[in-house]
Structure formats: structure tokens, C-alpha cells
Amino acid sequence: MSFTQFIFDNPWIGVLLFIILSPFVGGIIFGLDRIVTARMQGRVGPPVLQPVYDILKLLEKEKMVVHESQNFWIFGYLVFIIITGALFFAGSDILLVIFALTLAHVFLILGAFSSGSPYAHIGAERELIQLMAVEPMIIIAAVGFYEVTKSFNTSDILAFSDPLILTLPGIFIGFVYILTVKLRKSPFDISTSHHAHQELVKGLNTEFAGSTLAMVELAHLYETVFLLGFLFLFFGMAAPIVGIIVIAIIYLIEIFVDNATARVKWGFMFKSCWIITAVAGVLNLMALYII
Amino acid sequence: MLVLPNNGLRDTIVKAAAVVTCLGSIYLLFEYFGQGQVFFSIESALIDPIIVAAEVAIGLFIIGISVKHKKYLITVLAVVQLLIMGYTEIVFHPGHMSGYDLFIDEFSLIMALIIGIIGSLICVYATGYMKDYQSHHKDTPDNRPLFFFLMFLFLSAMFGIVFSNNIMWLFLFWEITTLCSFLLIAYARDEVSWKNGFWALLLNTVGGVAFAGAILFVNAYSTGNDIYLNELLKASPGVALMAAALIGFAGLTKSAQLPFSSWLVGAMVAPTPVSALLHSSTMVKAGVYVIVRFAPVFEGNLVGITFAVIGALTFLVASGIAISQSNAKKVLAYSTIANLGLVVTCAGIGTEEAVWAAILLIIFHAVAKSLLFLSVGSVEHKKGSRDIEDMGGLIATMPKIALMMLIGMAGMFLAPFGMLISKWASIHAFVSAMPPFGMLLIAIIAYGSGMTVFFWTKWMGRLIEVKSERKPLKEEASGAEMSAIYTLGGLTILACLIFPLISATMIEPYVNTVYNTASHLLSLNNMLIMLMMMVLVLLLPLSLSHFAKGRTLKGQYMGARATGDDLKFLGSMGIMKETEFSNYYFEDIFGEDKLNKIGNLMTIVLLVVLFILITLFLPLEVVM
């Protein structure tokens, strides 16, 4: 416990660990993801660190762009994704974390728009729909945390005496639902996809190559670590081991769903996210007062 | 202004007057800074008759013009309003306590700065814009002398509203703004302008009648000095609440909340400086100003909850409609309505934190929104269109204005810019307010902010979407226009950088006086984080110079089609076709008519229920 206490007292350590370790942790998660996916399809799959190698390879490539300015937007995306996670692991106000996340995604979308490409354009519009689809649930999750712990600070939420999932089961379900969108997993990978068999034209990422694409991929590693960290808040220091096990199971389910479903139309994605947010999320919030 | 000819002299005088107004409001800041509430008055036996005479004159003018244009409903309302005021004057002889007619406090000062600085910048802009406007609209009679006269009268009336302590005076200035806005909306004097002008007048007279009702009520049911705002706020709950409900209702009409929002959308027919004025520093801000003034009265009661829910519904519905609009001015209009909805929600909640958030919202909205309106106005003159779809690649053709628009839009919805700070503050305020209504409001805000991100980002995307290199225009707008736009762009960023200062020296003292507390509403940590993010956003563009080096430029991927210049591609019939982009608008989900209908119905029901309940319960309590 003394180690965790030490981290609580020194938020900068959490930030440093996040910034340094995330590419590897995220890389390993994605590597395992690819191996599990391969096994589900009867293949062997790549080495665990393949996603990291991919990024290193991308950095070596020729720097090819449509407009110079698109790199600026993507760089902004990477910077603000890192800031999102850093604020989160520093234990700051969770609403600020969420707003920084939105800002980061706006940068990504503007990067795609700025290329002026028809494929990237459609990808950008779709990413925007995704952003609108998941935003309410994330804010409601943050408010749910506050209503139980009476604090918006991630550090206080993490240190709360009871696992939040017991009082916020609806919000947890809603959040897991939108997690599929955030992780760019099928059936909700409408703006861009990780999978070679769906990669005919890479939607949002169409015009990003070389180091630009490397920044996008790197940002995605950071974001995944942040999102899983967010999920961990539902368990907190009250039930850390259960939390890690449940998160692992959820991630496995995500991989399974990713492989077992076909991409849906954006309308279904958008409407279902909002309906689930209302039914599971908002009702859960209301229920906190009745019980 | 009325008599000056259309030439450089008038423009110079307008600019000089603008500078004077601007400096005047800054002088006020230095003079009254940190003094809390200060009262003063104009001592003259003539002042009361003048006020009464002015009110009668406005009433008669409205009756006259509505009869002339056969808008008899307005006539009836104006007559009713005059009768109420006349009855009040004759029967109750409202008492006059010398020395209390005007006052100034931190909130008035903030409003005065907004009106003085932004209002006068808009007037400067108008000197350039109106010259262009008249050459674009040859069939519109050149009424510029009247135009500038009305603009300044409007600003003066706004100063009157924020400094009046006597609600009779407040009401007079209130009516002047109604009248000015009507005449300015109908500036073009054609059929559509008259129609929309009268629609604005109609809805605002409805509010005017409610205001007059409030004055009658206060005079009839209370003794002493309750016609003074500062006394009224402390009056017995019954009196204060009834007055607050009626004046708040008037505020709803003026700040274009549902179900009255349609007038502000219709007001888009007016020349752009008028729209900018209506949306940022005058008119709608008068509406929210009175509602926020009465916020302490709303805390934790039925009236407050109703207002909060109406504001939240307005936020939700207007944000939704903004998604489905491609007319730039309409998007701006709906976003104004939405943001004012948020202000009204905060005021309706009425807690200390909520009022703090509301005032921040007013400040940031005024700056960013005026910037956007003026930019769109100049783009419209150059491009001949106010459609967002026609602004594709604006960053290449009009880089300066496009950049200013990006700043304005970022100011409207992105962290760490202004509006987002306020949204963050309002969520903080709602969580501790009135369960389970607070939760309902949060849910509405959560959905609404998702929509906000959508419609702003797709517009930003449109601006920066450059298909191929294009030469920028030599002159994007006249010097007067550009100077106003640049100043506002600078102010948008400045406001974000110094908002902790504004909060600590002006908003917090005001809130602390009103609520008799001494709390700090913004933790140092969060403030630092936001400032750091702001600095980072400002520094990021420096990376552009790095990214400009050593890149290979390639055309966009076009599905391996044979392509030509400017994204032309060889179609299947062997003809070169041009690639066209357009944004998503979701007419079927967020259609204007549909959402307006639902929103209006819900808010009308809410208001009717509220006033039935009030008339059933409140007067009894007051009488006994």
C-alpha cells in the first residue's frame, strides 16, 4: 500500500509513468489483441511487440503529405491525447480530462479535413458522428463518479472506499458500450479500422503516411491506456485485482465482438449509443437519488 | 447622427463616438473598480415626467406603426401595456426615494464593458460594412443616418438597463431596446424585413406586458422601496418571486428562449452589424442580464426550476437545430440561443456557483460571437454567400478572416477556451443543485454539448478543407472591418488568458456580496491547468514551421482514377468531373421545424403550468 500512497502523494510520478510506459503497455495490449484475433481466425499472428515495430517502421518512411498543415493538426492530436492521459493520471478534475480528450479528437478530425481528400472527408465526418455519439456517456460517467464520491478529482475517485461499479452498474454498461466506438472496434469502426481486410481505403487516415501516421498510431496507444484507466475507476483501489480481471475480460469480449460482427451503418451506431446512454446512464444517475 | 450626410465625416464621427464609448466604459472600470455597490441619481424634478412621457411616446409609436401595418395583435398588447403603466402611475404614484435611481456594481461594470467595448467595435465595423452593404443592395433605401443613430441609441439604452436600480427606469430602457431592435431588423424596409421585424416586436411586447405586470404587482402589493432592484431582491419571498417570475418571463422573450426563439432567427434579415449587436452586446444580453440579476430569488424554488428546465431545453433544441443548418448566420443564431439557454439554466438554479458560471458565459459568449458574426459578414460580402458549404477552403482564399473565425469557433466550444470553461463551471454548479432536477439538467447538457462539438467542428473542417493551392485575395475586407475583427480576435484570446483575474476581481466579489459568502470558486490547480493548455494551444502553431520542411507533397488519393487539376477525375462516362464535398446535416433527425415544434410545445406547457401555479398560490401568501 505504501507504494500506491507514494504515487498518490506525488502525482508527477503517475504522469511520468504514463508518458514513458504507455507506448509499451499499449503496444503489448494491441500485440496481444492481434495474437488473439489471429488465433480466432486460425492464424499464428505477429510477435507481441509488432504494433511498436510498426510505429518505428512508419517513422523511417518518406515524409509524404498533401498539405504541410495536416501534420500540425495531427501533432496537436498527439500532444492533447498525452495531456488527457497525463491529467488523468495526475489525479486532476475529470471533466477537464474529458474536455482535453474532445479537443484532441477535434484536432484529429481537422487534420483529416485539412487534407481535402474525398475519402478522408467522409472519414472525418464519421469520426465526428462518433464523437457526438460517445460524448454524453462520458460526461454522464464523470457526473456519476461525482455523485457517489462527491469529488471530480480522479485521485479522490480512485481512492474511494467502495467499488463504484456497485452503485453505477448502468453507467458501467453504457461506458463499455461506447468503449467499442472509442477503441475503433467492429461493428463500430465506421471512421477508420485497424484490420487489413477492411482497410481498402483507410477512411479518416487515408491521407496520413509515414511519421504522420506514426503519430496517429502512437496517440491511439496512449488513448487506449487512458480509456482502460478510466474503466479502472469503476473499481478503484477498493477492488484493484477484480478491476484488472474484469477489464481483461471486457477487452477479450471486445476482441471477440470485433471478429464476430460486421460493420453497421453510422445511424445505428449513433442512435444506439444515445439510447443506451439515456437508458443505462441517465436512469442510473436518477436512481442514485431514489435508493 | 440623424442629420449627418453619408460621407467620410460621418464615418469619422462614428469612429470617434465609438472610441469615446469604449474609453468611457473602461474609465468606469477604473473609477468604480472594487467599490462594490454604489448608488447615485440624477436630481431633477423633471426626470419623472420625462420618463413617463418617453414611455407614453414609445407606446404610441408602437401602436401607430402596428396599426399602419395592420398588426393588430401588437396594437392590443401595446395598449394593454400602456393601460397597465397608466393605471400604476395614477393609482399608486410610485414613490421616489432620492439617490437610488441608478447604481453600479461589479456585474453592471462587466456588462458595461461588454456593451462599451464590443458595441463600439461593431459600430466601427459598421462604417465599413454599411458602405459595402448599400452598394450590394441597390434597391434598399439608404437610411444610414437613421441606422447609426439607432445603433448608438441602442447602446445607450443598454447602459441604461445595466445601471438602472429603479425598475420604472429599467422598463423604459427595456422598451427602447425593443423599439431599436425592431427598427434595425426592418432596416431593409422590404416585405421580409417588415414581417420579421414585427414578429420580433410582437414577441417582445408580450414580454413588455409581463414586465409592466411586474411593475403593477410590485406597486400594488408592497410598500416602501421595492421598485428599487436592490430592495426588491431582499423583499418578502412572495413579492420578490412573483416579480422575478414576471420580469424573468420578459427576460425569456428578450433573450430568445423557447418558445420565443423564432424572433432572433428571423432577425437575421438585418445587416450583419445589427445581428452582431443583437447577439453579443445588446438585446439578448439585456434579457439574460435581468434573469441573472434575479438569480438569487430563483434558488431552489419552482419558478427557478422551471426557468432552468426551459433554458436547458432551449440549449438542447437549439444545438440540435444548428446541426441541420447550412446558413452560417442561422447556425450562429441557434448557437446564441443555445448558449443563452445555458445562462438561463444557471440563473434558474440560482446558486452561487451557477451565477458565477452564468456571468462567465455572458462574457465569453459576447466576445466570441461578435467576432464570428463580423467575420461571416465580411465573408458574405466577398463571396456573395452566407452558406457554410460555400466557405470550403476559406483558409486558402481569405486566410486572415478564416483564422479569426477559427479562433472564434474554438472560443465557442473547445477547451481551454472561454465557453468551455463556463460549461465546465456550469456542470460543477448543476451537480450540487436540486436533485433530481440537477441530474436531468446534466443529462440535457451532456447531449447538447455533443451536438455543439459536431456542428462547430464540421464548420471548422469546411474552412480548412483545401482541395488544391489557391492564391489568397488581396483585400479581404475594408480597414474598418478588419480592425474590428482583429481586435475581437485578440479579445477572445485575452479573455481566456485573464479570466482568472476577471473572476477574482469582479465576478467573485459580486457573487460574494449577493450571497454573503467569501468563497473562491475556481481552484488554483484547475486554473493553472487551463492556462497551461491555453499557452500550449497558442504555441502549437509554431510547429508549422517544422512541418513545412522536408516533406514530399502528393495529391490526394482518388481511388486510382485518372485525375486532373483541382480534384477533377475521369468519370465512368469518360467526362472529367469535379469532386464536391459537403457536410452532413441530418435533416431527418435534427430538422428545424420538427425540433422547434417539440421545443415550443414543451416550454409553453411548462410556462402555462408555472403561471397557473403561481396565480393559485402566491398572491394569497402575499396578501396575508
Side-chain angles (χ1 to χ4, degrees):
Chain A
M1 267 334 257
S2 61
F3 176 68
T4 37
Q5 192 57 45
F6 179 68
I7 297 217
F8 270 125
D9 293 340
N10 297 283
W12 286 106
I13 295 180
V15 174
L16 278 179
L17 286 179
F18 169 76
I19 293 176
I20 298 166
L21 291 184
S22 287
F24 300 101
V25 176
I28 290 169
I29 293 173
F30 278 6
L32 291 175
D33 182 340
R34 286 177 67 170
I35 292 174
V36 173
T37 301
R39 297 290 152 84
M40 282 179 182
Q41 297 166 348
R43 295 182 285 117
V44 180
V48 177
L49 279 177
Q50 187 62 39
V52 181
Y53 303 147
D54 282 349
I55 291 177
L56 293 176
K57 179 189 71 182
L58 284 171
L59 286 173
E60 301 288 312
K61 293 204 167 194
E62 186 186 358
K63 292 173 173 150
M64 209 186 285
V65 290
V66 178
H67 299 292
E68 286 99 346
S69 64
Q70 73 190 50
N71 272 317
F72 155 69
W73 300 108
I74 298 306
F75 182 60
Y77 168 54
L78 176 62
V79 168
F80 275 96
I81 283 285
I82 294 176
I83 287 183
T84 305
L87 287 177
F88 180 82
F89 285 96
S92 324
D93 190 308
I94 197 160
L95 286 174
L96 282 183
V97 173
I98 293 170
F99 294 145
L101 181 70
T102 309
L103 174 65
H105 277 274
V106 169
F107 268 109
L108 172 66
I109 292 164
L110 291 179
F113 270 123
S114 73
S115 66
S117 144
Y119 295 101
H121 175 90
I122 292 174
E125 296 272 350
R126 289 180 159 197
E127 177 74 11
L128 206 40
I129 297 171
Q130 291 190 348
L131 201 56
M132 175 163 68
V134 301
E135 180 99 349
M137 188 64 235
I138 302 182
I139 293 180
I140 282 170
V143 175
F145 292 154
Y146 175 87
E147 287 304 322
V148 179
T149 64
K150 296 295 163 204
S151 169
F152 273 117
N153 286 342
T154 353
S155 50
D156 299 336
I157 298 169
L158 194 63
F160 193 64
S161 55
D162 300 312
L164 294 175
I165 189 162
L166 299 178
T167 37
L168 302 171
I171 290 178
F172 181 73
I173 292 169
F175 191 81
V176 169
Y177 190 83
I178 63 139
L179 192 65
T180 320
V181 180
K182 276 277 161 210
L183 292 174
R184 306 195 185 294
K185 296 266 182 214
S186 187
F188 297 148
D189 53 345
I190 61 166
S191 70
T192 181
S193 158
H194 288 297
H195 291 294
H197 64 276
Q198 297 174 335
E199 245 176 34
L200 193 58
V201 175
K202 232 175 152 356
L204 184 75
N205 293 339
T206 305
E207 304 296 345
F208 304 145
S211 57
T212 320
L213 189 58
M215 285 196 278
V216 176
E217 293 295 332
L218 189 60
H220 194 59
L221 296 184
Y222 276 110
E223 193 184 357
T224 304
V225 172
F226 157 69
L227 286 170
L228 297 181
F230 198 100
L231 212 52
F232 186 74
L233 287 184
F234 284 95
F235 305 92
M237 295 322 288
I241 297 165
V242 182
I244 291 169
I245 295 171
V246 173
I247 290 173
I249 294 172
I250 285 173
Y251 202 88
L252 278 175
I253 296 174
E254 292 282 358
I255 298 175
F256 178 73
V257 171
D258 190 26
N259 282 290
T261 55
R263 188 181 292 174
V264 295
K265 288 183 179 173
W266 66 261
F268 175 79
M269 190 272 307
F270 170 61
K271 284 174 190 162
S272 67
C273 279
W274 273 24
I275 290 169
I276 293 221
T277 304
V279 174
V282 179
L283 285 186
N284 195 162
L285 270 188
M286 299 282 184
L288 288 176
Y289 285 100
I290 298 162
I291 301 159
Chain B
M1 294 292 164
L2 267 176
V3 290
L4 293 171
N6 278 329
N7 59 20
L9 175 67
R10 201 260 325 277
D11 286 352
T12 318
I13 292 180
V14 167
K15 282 172 197 163
V19 170
V20 171
T21 318
C22 193
L23 290 179
S25 48
I26 294 172
Y27 164 74
L28 277 179
L29 171 69
F30 286 111
E31 186 67 24
Y32 291 98
F33 186 75
Q35 294 193 15
Q37 219 166 24
V38 179
F39 297 95
F40 48 95
S41 69
I42 304 165
E43 292 303 335
S44 161
L46 279 175
I47 206 81
D48 277 338
I50 290 176
I51 299 256
V52 173
E55 262 164 29
V56 172
I58 293 173
L60 290 179
F61 180 80
I62 293 177
I63 292 171
I65 199 156
S66 58
V67 168
K68 189 177 156 210
H69 288 263
K70 303 195 173 58
K71 305 280 180 189
Y72 297 117
L73 194 52
I74 300 177
T75 319
V76 173
L77 288 171
V79 170
V80 170
Q81 189 179 320
L82 262 187
L83 288 179
I84 295 178
M85 290 311 290
Y87 180 78
T88 315
E89 282 291 337
I90 294 162
V91 176
F92 298 107
H93 303 291
H96 191 67
M97 186 168 56
S98 67
Y100 276 97
D101 288 321
L102 296 172
F103 72 155
I104 206 168
D105 63 4
E106 289 89 354
F107 187 23
S108 300
L109 261 182
I110 292 173
M111 292 303 294
L113 284 172
I114 292 176
I115 300 160
I117 298 175
I118 298 176
S120 38
L121 280 172
I122 294 173
C123 288
V124 170
Y125 174 89
T127 57
Y129 182 90
M130 290 311 286
K131 202 182 283 168
D132 253 16
Y133 179 87
Q134 295 296 355
S135 59
H136 278 273
H137 300 75
K138 289 271 188 278
D139 46 342
T140 303
D142 193 342
N143 249 330
R144 274 185 282 167
L146 178 67
F147 178 85
F148 283 104
F149 170 71
L150 286 173
M151 294 281 273
F152 279 99
L153 180 63
F154 210 149
L155 292 181
S156 323
M158 281 304 295
F159 282 122
I161 286 181
V162 299
F163 292 136
S164 290
N165 190 28
N166 184 334
I167 57 173
M168 313 286 278
W169 292 30
L170 178 59
F171 183 59
L172 169 70
F173 294 123
W174 185 267
E175 287 302 294
I176 296 178
T177 60
T178 301
L179 193 63
C180 285
S181 67
F182 160 68
L183 290 171
L184 285 171
I185 294 169
Y187 176 77
R189 304 281 181 268
D190 55 11
E191 203 181 325
V192 187
S193 309
W194 279 122
K195 187 173 145 263
N196 291 341
F198 274 113
W199 184 241
L201 186 59
L202 173 66
L203 292 182
N204 279 301
T205 0
V206 173
V209 172
F211 206 132
I215 292 179
L216 174 63
F217 174 83
V218 171
N219 278 301
Y221 281 104
S222 75
T223 50
N225 301 314
D226 286 354
I227 60 164
Y228 292 102
L229 262 183
N230 66 319
E231 300 292 328
L232 186 56
L233 288 174
K234 290 181 245 159
S236 66
V239 176
L241 194 58
M242 185 68 189
L246 285 170
I247 296 180
F249 178 85
L252 288 185
T253 61
K254 190 146 281 205
S255 60
Q257 297 297 290
L258 285 174
F260 309 107
S261 60
S262 50
W263 75 261
L264 192 61
V265 183
M268 291 296 110
V269 296
T272 298
V274 177
S275 315
L277 206 61
L278 291 180
H279 281 259
S280 61
S281 55
T282 62
M283 201 64 183
V284 295
K285 288 286 158 26
V288 290
Y289 165 78
V290 293
I291 298 182
V292 174
R293 268 271 177 231
F294 280 102
V297 183
F298 293 133
E299 185 176 352
N301 59 46
L302 188 71
V303 182
I305 293 170
T306 316
F307 275 52
V309 174
I310 288 176
L313 281 175
T314 306
F315 175 65
L316 187 69
V317 169
S319 304
I321 296 175
I323 290 180
S324 69
Q325 300 303 312
S326 69
N327 178 330
K329 280 179 87 176
K330 265 185 137 177
V331 173
L332 293 181
Y334 276 113
S335 120
T336 300
I337 296 170
N339 287 318
L340 295 174
L342 213 50
V343 178
V344 171
T345 311
C346 290
I349 296 231
T351 58
E352 198 183 351
E353 265 190 316
V355 171
W356 181 78
I359 298 177
L360 265 186
L361 273 166
I362 292 179
I363 300 173
F364 288 126
H365 177 259
V367 189
K369 194 46 79 58
S370 51
L371 171 63
L372 283 172
F373 262 111
L374 299 188
S375 309
V376 167
S378 295
V379 172
E380 188 187 349
H381 272 176
K382 278 280 164 337
K383 290 246 167 193
S385 160
R386 55 170 76 159
D387 198 299
I388 292 173
E389 294 302 313
D390 293 328
M391 295 183 190
L394 201 68
I395 196 88
T397 47
M398 300 173 78
K400 293 178 202 135
I401 289 188
L403 179 66
M404 290 298 134
M405 284 174 80
L406 288 178
I407 292 176
M409 287 183 208
M412 292 304 296
F413 81 104
L414 275 184
F417 287 91
M419 290 300 284
L420 205 109
I421 300 171
S422 331
K423 200 182 278 172
W424 169 75
S426 37
I427 293 180
H428 270 247
F430 295 166
V431 284
S432 39
M434 297 183 297
F437 287 99
M439 291 304 107
L440 182 69
L441 297 178
I442 296 257
I444 294 178
I445 303 301
Y447 280 97
S449 64
M451 297 175 184
T452 319
V453 172
F454 187 84
F455 73 81
W456 285 121
T457 312
K458 71 177 181 175
W459 189 354
M460 286 176 113
R462 198 82 195 118
L463 294 181
I464 61 165
E465 197 165 49
V466 183
K467 284 195 267 183
S468 57
E469 294 306 323
R470 253 172 294 177
K471 292 244 159 60
L473 293 175
K474 260 214 189 80
E475 196 200 19
E476 297 181 21
S478 69
E481 291 173 52
M482 285 318 288
S483 59
I485 290 176
Y486 280 143
T487 317
L488 283 170
L491 281 176
T492 307
I493 293 174
L494 185 69
C496 300
L497 288 175
I498 64 164
F499 91 94
L501 207 64
I502 303 177
S503 164
T505 58
M506 302 184 75
I507 308 179
E508 277 179 15
Y510 169 71
V511 174
N512 290 341
T513 330
V514 171
Y515 289 90
N516 287 321
T517 51
S519 52
H520 290 287
L521 298 162
L522 190 68
S523 81
L524 186 67
N525 251 337
N526 288 333
M527 206 158 67
L528 283 178
I529 291 171
M530 281 191 259
L531 282 181
M532 265 158 53
M533 278 169 75
M534 189 69 209
V535 171
L536 199 67
V537 169
L538 294 178
L539 288 181
L540 264 184
L542 295 181
S543 69
L544 270 172
S545 64
H546 166 71
F547 289 125
K549 280 179 289 191
R551 314 278 146 169
T552 320
L553 290 185
K554 276 274 158 72
Q556 292 91 339
Y557 176 72
M558 289 294 288
R561 290 254 171 203
T563 54
D565 290 341
D566 223 9
L567 288 197
K568 285 195 179 68
F569 63 94
L570 197 60
S572 53
M573 302 298 283
I575 305 164
M576 287 303 267
K577 290 188 173 176
E578 188 149 0
T579 313
E580 291 278 352
F581 299 138
S582 62
N583 279 335
Y584 288 8
Y585 288 97
F586 306 145
E587 277 288 345
D588 53 330
I589 306 177
F590 298 111
E592 187 176 15
D593 294 341
K594 188 175 94 179
L595 284 185
N596 261 334
K597 232 178 254 166
I598 300 171
N600 283 338
L601 189 71
M602 287 167 85
T603 44
I604 288 173
V605 169
L606 276 173
L607 281 175
V608 169
V609 171
L610 172 71
F611 278 94
I612 288 176
L613 286 178
I614 286 185
T615 40
L616 281 181
F617 294 112
L618 269 180
L620 283 176
E621 183 195 320
V622 174
V623 175
M624 291 186 297

